[in-house]
Amino acid sequence: MKKADYPFLDIKLNLPQGEFKLTEDEGKLWVFDALRKKQLVLTPEEWVRQHLIYYLIEFKKYPKSLFSLERGLKYNKLSKRFDILILDRNGKPFILIECKAPEVRLSQTTVEQVAVYNKTIGARFMAISNGLQHICLEYDLDSLSYKQVREFPEF
């Protein structure tokens, strides 16, 4: 493994550092996903996703059993994939999270991407993170629009 191939590993994310099992095989770096119980190719987006999952489970006490990762959805007959969906204890969508690589700037366009996905899913909260910056929004039933909240909601 050449360190130059994985510059995102040197970026200090704005999330707690977990213990991740990294292995090299077939010229690629892999990370063990403890929720899915399998090895995944380590990409900048996956690095952010693994840190977010760790943070939500260890610090926000989200139950592991209510996570759904990288699943497909249909929007206007288009096939899309969300990054993280966490259900509430009644099995209803609680928070939808889109992960971006650390070098991807969060913008109105990136927020709109997760908002489009959430039109199908209907989670009360949605968030987008590049590991450095996090934008968390809550759907306000009074105004029928999203309002930014300071941090990821408590479960």
Side-chain angles (χ1 to χ4, degrees):
M1 173 186 95
K2 288 183 275 186
K3 197 164 171 110
D5 293 336
Y6 302 96
F8 59 90
L9 292 175
D10 291 329
I11 296 172
K12 175 82 174 97
L13 299 181
N14 184 18
L15 290 162
Q17 177 64 50
E19 292 292 318
F20 303 106
K21 288 194 330 194
L22 302 179
T23 55
E24 187 182 7
D25 189 31
E26 300 170 11
K28 294 179 185 166
L29 196 56
W30 300 75
V31 62
F32 182 74
D33 183 310
L35 285 180
R36 291 179 271 188
K37 307 264 189 274
K38 67 179 186 176
Q39 296 284 345
L40 302 169
V41 173
L42 188 62
T43 63
E45 183 179 300
E46 189 61 46
W47 191 234
V48 170
R49 183 176 13 257
Q50 292 300 317
H51 278 79
L52 258 176
I53 291 167
Y54 172 76
Y55 168 70
L56 293 171
I57 291 170
E58 297 299 324
F59 292 84
K60 291 291 191 171
K61 304 303 179 199
Y62 284 46
K64 291 178 187 178
S65 61
L66 299 178
F67 277 72
S68 182
L69 305 175
E70 290 193 298
R71 296 271 170 84
L73 65 99
K74 290 274 190 212
Y75 181 77
N76 284 343
K77 298 182 183 173
L78 297 174
S79 292
K80 303 286 185 181
R81 288 181 79 76
F82 63 76
D83 287 325
I84 302 171
L85 174 63
I86 301 159
L87 305 175
D88 65 19
R89 294 205 187 276
N90 297 318
K92 303 259 187 287
F94 178 68
I95 184 168
L96 177 65
I97 305 170
E98 183 68 21
C99 301
K100 297 293 183 189
E103 70 271 9
V104 174
R105 195 177 138 271
L106 301 188
S107 65
Q108 184 67 30
T109 303
T110 54
V111 170
E112 286 170 1
Q113 177 189 2
V114 73
V116 163
Y117 293 178
N118 203 35
K119 284 181 183 175
T120 300
I121 291 171
R124 179 174 158 206
F125 294 94
M126 62 182 196
I128 188 163
S129 175
N130 62 8
L132 302 171
Q133 179 187 9
H134 322 292
I135 298 172
C136 301
L137 304 158
E138 178 178 14
Y139 191 71
D140 180 54
L141 289 172
D142 294 332
S143 66
L144 301 178
S145 63
Y146 286 96
K147 305 277 189 228
Q148 192 162 354
V149 293
R150 287 183 185 262
E151 60 186 55
F152 289 93
E154 297 296 324
F155 186 76

